[in-house]
Amino acid sequence: MDGTERVMSAKHGRRLAELILAESERTGLGPGSRLPTERQLAVDLGVTRSGVRLALAALEADGLISREVGRGTFFSNAAGQAFDALRASPDEVAGRVAGYPAPAATDFAPADVMTIRRLLEPQALPLVVMWATARDFAEMERCVAGGDQAVNYEEFETWDLALHRVIMAAAHSPLLAALYSVVESARHGQVWGDLKRRSASSQRRAVYQEDHRAIVTALRARDADAAVESMRTHLTRVAGHLLGETR
């Protein structure tokens, strides 16, 4: 069972994250509340602890929980939106960040996804340079740190997706956020996930993290030209690995 859980897809991890949110809401937990231990969650939900860890990683990447050494895991203030959405529509709770929900997975062709990402993401960065707040930059740094600590493909992909989502949200454009939500939906799809998993390696994750740090550093410096170039370099690298164009 543990072996099966270790290869659980990000989609399954998010489904379990939804279950944790639903059960927490049912028992009266809210922002600031401490979650049960991993062991207790596994017992309560009838899953393994490795599955719980994957779900908690997804919740943490979305900013819904925070982990405090020696104290436990707590729901953040942002979790209030997720609980409100859960009461209104249980199917749309997971993946909330920057005020909009992560959409259902859609299986667009990965080559199409990367073409649109390379058109959209670099061009959005001058807006991020102009409008990003200190809180936005803190969220970016949190996502980069999460990627550093990821121990497997699923955890790294969760933080990678969260970082790009946070960067786009930092433009503070509702229309851009809505457009990017379609791109994000493709990254939850099975076709994307299968191809990305086959192209993944620890060495490539390390290079992607260097790219991520370069992008965030340029954004923090309010250097639009450097941020755009860093994002273009990163997406070209990802496309090459994903589509078999480079080693």
Side-chain angles (χ1 to χ4, degrees), residues 233-245:
T233 297
H234 174 59
L235 294 178
T236 297
R237 193 190 317 279
V238 172
H241 292 161
L242 194 68
L243 304 176
E245 297 170 0

Side-chain angles (χ1 to χ4, degrees), residues 15-154:
R15 286 177 178 170
L16 183 52
E18 292 180 24
L19 184 59
I20 291 174
L21 283 169
E23 182 64 15
S24 297
E25 194 277 333
R26 186 187 69 79
T27 57
L29 299 183
S33 297
R34 184 168 60 184
L35 279 73
T37 63
E38 288 182 1
R39 182 186 299 275
Q40 189 60 51
L41 284 171
V43 171
D44 292 345
L45 300 177
V47 298
T48 66
R49 290 182 67 179
S50 55
V52 169
R53 283 193 291 271
L54 184 57
L56 292 177
L59 292 173
E60 186 178 13
D62 288 337
L64 301 181
I65 63 171
S66 62
R67 308 193 200 203
E68 300 181 20
V69 178
R71 296 192 63 219
T73 301
F74 296 82
F75 282 115
S76 67
N77 290 334
Q81 292 181 340
F83 286 123
D84 289 343
L86 180 60
R87 286 187 286 270
S89 177
D91 292 332
E92 297 179 355
V93 62
R96 285 187 172 264
V97 67
Y100 68 95
T106 303
D107 275 338
F108 294 106
D112 191 17
V113 175
M114 288 308 308
T115 296
I116 298 305
R117 289 187 67 189
R118 292 164 78 176
L119 286 172
L120 185 62
E121 293 188 50
Q123 297 305 317
L125 296 192
L127 288 176
V128 177
V129 165
M130 184 178 299
W131 296 112
T133 65
R135 182 175 180 179
D136 293 326
F137 291 131
E139 280 294 288
M140 294 177 203
E141 297 287 359
R142 188 179 68 86
C143 291
V144 172
D148 286 337
Q149 296 167 10
V151 297
N152 54 35
Y153 162 80
E154 287 81 9

Side-chain angles (χ1 to χ4, degrees), residues 143-192:
C143 291
V144 172
D148 286 337
Q149 296 167 10
V151 297
N152 54 35
Y153 162 80
E154 287 81 9
E155 287 189 15
F156 182 81
E157 185 70 2
T158 295
W159 286 108
D160 184 299
L161 190 150
L163 174 62
H164 284 270
R165 186 195 316 136
V166 165
I167 290 172
M168 299 300 280
H172 294 280
S173 166
L175 178 55
L176 178 61
L179 291 171
Y180 194 70
S181 71
V182 180
V183 174
E184 184 177 349
S185 74
R187 295 189 64 182
H188 284 291
Q190 183 174 349
V191 173
W192 174 278

